Amino acid sequence: LEGLYHRKPILCMPFGMDQFVNAIRIENLGLGLSLFVRPLSRLQTLMYPYTFTNYTFSAQDVEEKLSSLWTKTSYAE
C-alpha cells in the first residue's frame, strides 16, 4: 500500500492468498510487474485465485523485470 500511495513502481512476488489477485491487478493497472505469471485461462484464475503457490522464477526473471521497471518512462512518470 505504501508503494501505491507514494506512486512507486512495484515488483510483485506473491506468496499466497490475495497477493496473487493483487499482483494481477497491479500489472493490469500498469502500476508495476509481477514475477507470477497467471494461467492463460481467466476462468481458472477466477475459480482458484489462491492456489498458485507453486510458481517459479529465476534470477534472470527478476533482473529483467527490475530493469524494465527502472528504464520504462511510463513508470517514471
Side-chain angles (χ1 to χ4, degrees), residues 19-63:
Q19 294 176 0
F20 294 100
V21 176
N22 293 340
I24 291 169
R25 189 74 175 137
I26 284 171
E27 276 198 330
N28 288 344
L29 291 173
L31 301 173
L33 299 172
S34 178
L35 294 170
F36 166 67
V37 178
R38 73 174 171 199
L40 295 177
S41 167
R42 288 185 182 233
L43 180 60
Q44 183 183 4
T45 302
L46 293 172
M47 290 175 57
Y48 308 104
Y50 308 121
T51 60
F52 303 114
T53 57
N54 294 325
Y55 76 100
T56 60
F57 56 89
S58 67
Q60 183 177 354
D61 294 332
V62 175
E63 184 179 334

Side-chain angles (χ1 to χ4, degrees), residues 6-22:
H6 293 288
R7 298 181 180 188
K8 301 297 180 189
I10 298 171
L11 178 60
C12 300
M13 186 172 60
F15 291 107
M17 301 302 291
D18 63 329
Q19 294 176 0
F20 294 100
V21 176
N22 293 340

